[in-house]
Amino acid sequence: MARPSKAPERRAELIEVARQAVLERGVLNLRLRDVAEGAGLSPGSVLYYFPTLADLLQEVQREAVARFCSAREQAAGAKTKPSDRLRAMIRSGLPTGPDDELCVLLYELGTIARRDPVYAARHITLYEQQVRIYTGILEAGAATGEFTLTADPVSIARNLVALEDGYGLHLTQAVPTLETATAEAMLLSYARTATSNPLAPVGGAEDAPEKGPKA
C-alpha cells in the first residue's frame, strides 16, 4: 500500500515560511535561499514543490487576499443595519499600524503587482471584492431609506476602497504619518457625506478602534 503523500503539508509549510520571510525581509530583498533555510531544506528541494520563488509567493498572496476579504465580510456581516455594517466595513479595512501583519503582507506583495500581470490580477480581484461588499451595503441602505446616496453606489464604494488603500500605506510606514483612529474618522467623514447619514455609533465602545486582521 502506497504511503500518503506529504506534499500538501510540505507546501503549506513552505507557504508559511515564505509569508514570514516576506514580513521580515521585504519582498524585494527575498531570496529562494531565505525560504529554504527557514524550512530547513535546500533550494532545490523548495523548487520540487514550487517551480520558482514567484510561484511560491503567488500562493502566499492568494491566501492573504482570501483571509483579508473573508475577515471584512465577517466584520460587515456581524451587523444588521446598513449604517452599522458600513462603519464595521470601514474599520475592518484599515491597518492598526506598521505591525499589522496581514495588511503589511498585502502591501509588500503589491510591489510585485506593478510588474507581474499574475500578481496584478489578484490585486484587482482584491479591489473588486472590497468594492462589491461596499456596494451591497450602500444599495441596502438606499433601499431601506437609511441612506440617500450622493452618487451611484459603485462610485462611492470605489472611493472608499481607494481612500483605505491610501491611508493604509501611511499607517504601515516605519514612521506612520497618522493614526488609525484619524484615518477612520476621515473615511467616516466622506461616508457621511456620500450617504447623507450621520453614521452615529450605537455606543461609546463603538468609537474605540478594533484591531485589524492579522496574518
Side-chain angles (χ1 to χ4, degrees):
M1 183 176 180
R3 294 181 178 178
S5 173
K6 293 185 178 180
E9 290 83 357
R10 180 62 76 179
R11 286 173 61 87
E13 178 187 352
L14 289 171
I15 292 170
E16 173 60 20
V17 171
R19 181 185 71 82
Q20 290 290 345
V22 169
L23 291 168
E24 292 170 5
R25 300 182 62 88
V27 72
L28 297 181
N29 295 319
L30 187 65
R31 303 168 300 173
L32 179 63
R33 184 183 305 169
D34 300 321
V35 178
E37 290 177 353
L41 298 172
S42 68
S45 296
V46 175
L47 294 177
Y48 174 79
Y49 297 99
F50 294 95
T52 66
L53 178 59
D55 291 320
L56 174 55
L57 292 179
Q58 285 174 19
E59 287 302 302
V60 174
Q61 183 197 34
R62 182 187 64 78
E63 291 197 350
V65 167
R67 285 188 290 126
F68 187 70
C69 289
S70 176
R72 301 204 71 181
E73 287 180 331
Q74 290 178 13
K79 306 294 183 180
T80 302
K81 291 177 57 179
S83 57
D84 294 338
R85 291 175 62 203
L86 184 55
R87 286 180 62 92
M89 184 66 179
I90 288 172
R91 183 166 296 165
S92 70
L94 291 170
T96 56
D99 61 343
D100 191 317
E101 294 183 357
L102 183 52
C103 289
V104 170
L105 185 64
L106 288 169
Y107 282 124
E108 279 288 339
L109 293 168
T111 62
I112 308 177
R114 287 195 290 267
R115 296 178 298 276
D116 190 311
V118 175
Y119 287 85
R122 192 159 285 135
H123 270 265
I124 291 171
T125 298
L126 171 61
Y127 171 78
E128 290 177 340
Q129 287 180 326
Q130 294 176 94
V131 169
R132 176 182 56 78
I133 300 170
Y134 267 124
T135 300
I137 294 171
L138 293 166
E139 289 176 340
T144 61
E146 193 173 357
F147 297 159
T148 300
L149 303 181
T150 59
D152 67 275
V154 174
S155 294
I156 296 172
R158 286 174 175 166
N159 284 334
L160 285 166
V161 176
L163 285 169
E164 288 175 353
D165 287 344
Y167 287 134
L169 284 171
H170 287 278
L171 291 167
T172 54
Q173 290 179 3
V175 180
T177 53
L178 73 167
E179 296 180 348
T180 301
T182 302
E184 182 181 340
M186 289 189 283
L187 272 163
L188 282 170
S189 177
Y190 168 72
R192 290 185 181 107
T193 299
T195 62
S196 307
N197 184 292
L199 296 175
V202 175
E206 290 239 8
D207 277 330
E210 299 171 356
K211 292 182 72 64
K214 296 291 184 177

